[in-house]
Amino acid sequence: MSVLYSSTRDDSKKLTASQAILQGLAEDGGLFVPDHIPALDKSIDELANLSYQETAYEVMKLLLSDFTEEELKNCINKAYDSKFDVEEIAPLVQADGAYYLELFHGSTIAFKDMALSILPHLLITSARKNQIKNDIVILTATSGDTGKAALAGFAGVEGTKIVVFYPKHGVSPIQEKQMVTQKGDNTCVVGIEGNFDQAQTGVKQMFNDAALKAELDQAGFQFSSANSINIGRLVPQVVYYVYAYAKLYANGAIQKDEKINVVVPTGNFGNILAAYYAKNMGIPIAKLICASNENKVLYDFFQTGIYDRNREFILTSSPSMDILISSNLERLIYRIAGDDVSKNREFMGALTKDGKYEITDEMKAKLADFYGNYTSEEETASVIKDLYEKTGYIIDTHTAVATGVFKKYQKASNDTNTKTVIASTASPFKFTRSVMNAIDEAKYDKMSDFELVDELSKIGNVKVPNAIEEIRTAPVLHDTVCEVEEMPSVVKKFLGIQ
């Protein structure tokens, strides 16, 4: 049965997967959701023997049902190739009572590569399927990792252009260097004088600007998105949770149908939503553990049923999670509201108007599978140091937030027997200063960023990733900085239409 997509705010219009991928964000500001979540049609015994690429096909064929087998396999094979530095694509590493799902072996050493390696191919295929003549302009806001992964994915891809906005003072030095050194005539990187939420809101406003849309169309362009609001980003993320479960079973770590817990460090809610979709497709997941940093808007939501972004925005050592408006949560709200668009519209209207909304008790009861908590800055550093001293395994700050929450969950629930997968979302090399200072601040505080890279490689006994080697001496190619209200004019200037 084909899966069709409609907006979380108006379900009267049904789109195919390729149409939803092309559009990115619904015209009414809502997000595209599937009309049903299909069950996996392969048994765990069958899945256990598959490669990552084969698993990707088995998951994606169900959710992207208007793609032919040839189209989908072509996209998958182009995406998950030698740009990943390990054959498994997403290996599992056991350390201190948990299985770390390493999602950072792609070309930009963060989990965003898992989806953004394939999205350009899905988009171009979608454009061909729907006879689109315009060039596609990818418009993206990033809190650090999406930007570079999207740039790497789309650089040089014919028929596309990409504009990435990031908070000028809200990403790590290495994250920024990765973006501003990006090659490719079709790429544009812009720092904004503001935070990620402002960048994301600015991008959404451009998507919903009818006059701008008409102006672009006349010039032969149309917007699409590479943010996790695009269903073409979310679907590939479901794959690695299915793959992780199948590999645990194949390796004898779990019995058939044994439930596991999944811990995800979460800002925009896309990565944990993918785990929720995997569970709904039939993967035996017991608890979905949502880990926040000190911007703990999601933790408070799971505690109280009130989503309230009216609070101080805190810059932390896990900047990809420094988010107060978790866009993908809307997909979950829609689902627990019984797929009720008017109810969801009401909540999102309140979020825009008052910065908060409160769900009903009935909806709250449907969140029983979730557990939320947060890890403070001090705790994050302590987790990195403890794990390294105990096992020699070094994790980044975002993964440390997840590990900290995992420990809190175990303590609060006495659930110490359920096998647990922790989504390890970035390489420690991406946040070397925070990671090395956590291990021994007195020793490493005076070193430069790249001296820290070499030291991390030495003490962790891990090779420096190519993504880091490449930017050591790379020249800065993008130096545009703008105010939030100047974002549309920057886009038009790049496209040569003003």
Side-chain angles (χ1 to χ4, degrees), residues 90-105 244 248 263 265 383-384 386-388 391 393-396 398-407 420-426:
L92 283 157
V93 174
Q94 195 173 1
D96 195 28
Y99 293 89
Y100 286 86
L101 178 62
E102 292 188 343
L103 300 172
F104 53 75
H105 288 279
L248 286 177
V263 191
V383 163
I384 293 169
D386 291 351
L387 188 63
Y388 170 66
T391 66
Y393 186 58
I394 301 177
I395 55 174
D396 91 296
H398 302 74
T399 309
V401 166
T403 305
V405 166
F406 167 55
K407 302 286 186 199
T420 298
V421 168
I422 295 177
S424 185
T425 53

Side-chain angles (χ1 to χ4, degrees), residues 142-149 151 164-167 171-183 187-190 471 477-478:
T142 183
S143 55
D145 287 336
T146 288
K148 174 60 185 179
L151 289 161
V164 169
F165 292 97
Y166 73 96
V171 299
S172 82
I174 284 181
Q175 282 178 313
E176 183 171 44
K177 188 95 192 273
Q178 280 188 301
M179 287 189 280
V180 298
T181 56
Q182 176 65 52
K183 295 174 186 165
T187 66
C188 175
V189 180
V190 185
I471 62 169
L477 301 174
H478 304 270

Side-chain angles (χ1 to χ4, degrees), residues 78-122:
K78 281 181 176 170
Y80 304 113
D81 58 8
S82 59
K83 71 174 82 67
F84 286 84
D85 62 20
V86 287
E87 201 183 322
E88 310 99 288
I89 308 292
L92 283 157
V93 174
Q94 195 173 1
D96 195 28
Y99 293 89
Y100 286 86
L101 178 62
E102 292 188 343
L103 300 172
F104 53 75
H105 288 279
S107 54
T108 76
I109 58 175
F111 83 102
K112 309 290 169 79
D113 288 326
M114 302 301 293
L116 283 164
S117 294
I118 194 167
L119 182 61
H121 304 294
L122 293 175

